[in-house]
Amino acid sequence: MDSGVRRAPSSRACGRLTPLHERGGVTVVIPCLNEEETIAEVVRQVLAQEVGEVIVIDNGSTDRTAAVAAAAGAHVVNQPQRGYGRACATGVAAVAPGTAIVCFMDGDGSDVPDFLHDVIRPIADGSADFVMGSRIRGRRELGSMTPQQIVAGRLAGVLLRLVYGVHFTDMSPLRAIRLDRLDVLGMRESTYGWNLEMQMRAAAAGLRCVEVPVNHRCRRGGESKVSGNLVAGLKAAWKISGTFLRLAASLRRQRVAAG
């Protein structure tokens, strides 16, 4: 099976899609930590895309994130033990029966919900199993990504290409995957390594991977947990690097054991 990342056409060039909930059951998972200022508008914008369900995971917030998200129409799930990957996994476990496609995005308003159609289209049309939204290939507001984020995405892309032959340019949180494929990937990362782990495991499993350009904005409120904080950003970069090396070795051993 060809695991190379292919480019998909923009849905804006092809006309508006039919409602996403009519294309196989789509759930959008949004992990949140203290996003009271932004989450209501994010939820409303996502629901305007006519998805089947929006799940917000309150990952130990000390503000009114959960109440605000629920009032905006989200299904709120509590995960008090902090960790980005842990929150995402909690959201996946809470999806409604009949869900075929799971999307992930951030709750700070930086991801653009209008691009959900672009991210979902290749899966809904049966041409992909996993779709990454690339902020690098899309249009970015000035200051929406730090230099270290851009470099980290590029570096991860080079490593993924060398080891697995896939072509990614980013580790964007805006992504989609078939739920049945996600269920068998064996995701384990509980913190910021989750996104990279998904890309590595998808590539190693031979899933049909597609990357599409998506626009990106500066966060609409609140405080950044990683990108706007140098110390946290360095910690996340260290975690991502360690994740790649550790997972690459683990996946190699699995291939050898499988013969």
Side-chain angles (χ1 to χ4, degrees):
M1 182 180 294
D2 179 13
S3 62
V5 176
R6 297 178 290 278
R7 310 306 190 208
S10 168
S11 63
R12 272 162 292 284
C14 305
R16 182 170 174 79
L17 296 175
T18 57
L20 298 182
H21 61 76
E22 295 179 9
R23 299 176 67 84
V26 178
T27 294
V28 178
V29 171
I30 308 176
C32 281
L33 173 60
N34 295 330
E35 299 292 3
E36 177 184 350
E37 294 182 38
T38 59
I39 191 58
E41 184 60 24
V42 171
V43 170
R44 285 193 288 265
Q45 290 181 8
V46 173
L47 289 173
Q49 305 302 314
E50 300 178 292
V51 300
E53 184 179 35
V54 176
I55 298 178
V56 169
I57 303 88
D58 181 20
N59 196 204
S61 297
T62 56
D63 62 7
R64 297 181 62 253
T65 292
V68 171
H75 171 200
V76 177
V77 179
N78 185 43
Q79 172 50 272
Q81 190 174 2
R82 291 184 178 180
Y84 181 85
R86 187 175 291 111
C88 288
T90 299
V92 172
V95 299
T99 297
I101 302 171
V102 179
C103 302
F104 300 89
M105 63 185 299
D106 281 349
D108 60 8
S110 59
D111 293 323
V112 183
D114 285 352
F115 283 81
L116 281 168
H117 287 280
D118 298 69
V119 174
I120 291 165
R121 175 186 283 277
I123 301 176
D125 288 351
S127 60
D129 303 304
F130 171 62
V131 181
M132 258 283 303
S134 172
R135 301 166 295 184
I136 302 299
R137 294 180 55 219
R139 291 189 300 175
R140 304 189 304 276
E141 284 186 355
L142 183 64
S144 64
M145 292 183 69
T146 63
Q148 57 263 36
Q149 282 181 295
I150 296 172
V151 170
R154 294 287 194 186
L155 176 59
V158 169
L159 293 172
L160 284 161
R161 183 174 183 177
L162 288 174
V163 177
Y164 300 108
V166 296
H167 302 261
F168 289 118
T169 62
D170 197 4
M171 291 183 291
S172 167
L174 183 53
R175 54 184 61 203
I177 188 169
R178 284 179 50 174
L179 181 58
D180 59 349
R181 298 293 190 264
L182 178 59
D183 284 342
V184 298
L185 286 185
M187 297 287 293
R188 297 176 182 174
E189 289 299 307
S190 61
T191 58
Y192 292 108
W194 166 275
N195 284 344
L196 178 58
E197 180 189 21
M198 185 183 295
Q199 289 167 247
M200 292 181 69
R201 288 188 179 276
L207 300 192
R208 296 170 299 167
C209 301
V210 169
E211 182 180 82
V212 299
V214 298
N215 291 354
H216 193 250
R217 309 177 291 207
C218 295
R219 66 163 34 247
R220 289 328 198 212
E223 297 181 359
S224 174
K225 285 71 181 177
V226 177
S227 61
N229 181 297
L230 178 59
V231 174
L234 291 173
K235 288 182 178 178
W238 178 260
K239 177 67 175 179
I240 287 168
S241 300
T243 297
F244 187 93
L245 294 174
R246 176 171 46 78
L247 274 173
S250 175
L251 291 169
R252 189 180 303 113
R253 287 193 297 270
Q254 290 176 20
R255 287 198 300 272
V256 172

